[in-house]
Amino acid sequence: MRLDEWNERYRSREEIDHEPASLLVSAVRDMPAGHALDLACGAGRNTLWLAQQGWDVVAIDGAEEAIRIVREHDARIDARVMDLERDAPLPFEDASFDLVAILYFLHRPLFAEAKRVLRPGGLVVTAIRTRGISARFCLTLDELRDEFEGWEVAHSQDGEIAELVARRHFIHSKTR
């Protein structure tokens, strides 16, 4: 779908889901709240839930109407309009976030950016369709695992949706 179509969908409030993704809820259950980045946040179901749990959240979506809805619900959230398929790299320093969520949106270069902005010990939580829509927007679980090769995988599941929760390894300093 094009951004103008997403804007119309959000403007009409068509099919807006308010429940956070269960994958995200499970992934952060035992994590202390920190600094989170929600990429392709849509109308903010995950962003708003994270904020309610005490997380400091930056929410990004290409649809202006989606960001307007997020701001309507919680003006304290740093909600930004950004075309995630065209505006790269992300405007954040390396190792800025404890959590990066990429849920139901695929633009492969975002994986490298998510890894770049994630702090050691932080989590990437992602769920991508494996079929049912254009192949451009689909990914297999094996492809998703390959994106995070060498990371600690806390959760992975295959099906119509490939789910992955991966932790960036801590950097251990060497002592003499």
Side-chain angles (χ1 to χ4, degrees), residues 10 17 37-48 57-63 66-68 70 77-82 84 101-103 105:
Y10 291 121
D17 192 352
L37 176 60
D38 187 3
L39 295 171
C41 67
R45 67 187 183 127
N46 298 308
T47 295
L48 296 167
V57 186
V58 176
I60 296 178
D61 200 279
I67 294 301
R68 186 180 59 72
V70 171
I77 293 172
D78 181 355
R80 304 177 187 194
V81 176
M82 184 176 169
L84 291 168
I102 309 172
L103 297 164
F105 177 79

Side-chain angles (χ1 to χ4, degrees), residues 50-113:
L50 285 166
Q52 290 166 355
Q53 306 310 305
W55 288 81
D56 175 27
V57 186
V58 176
I60 296 178
D61 200 279
E64 294 174 9
E65 288 298 317
I67 294 301
R68 186 180 59 72
I69 292 168
V70 171
R71 290 176 180 153
E72 266 179 22
H73 284 88
D74 190 336
R76 297 168 300 160
I77 293 172
D78 181 355
R80 304 177 187 194
V81 176
M82 184 176 169
D83 186 339
L84 291 168
E85 293 184 15
R86 292 190 172 82
D87 297 335
L90 294 173
F92 307 108
E93 297 292 322
D94 294 357
S96 299
F97 295 94
D98 302 296
L99 171 71
V100 177
I102 309 172
L103 297 164
Y104 308 103
F105 177 79
L106 177 61
H107 180 61
R108 284 173 170 81
L110 281 181
F111 294 129
E113 282 297 287

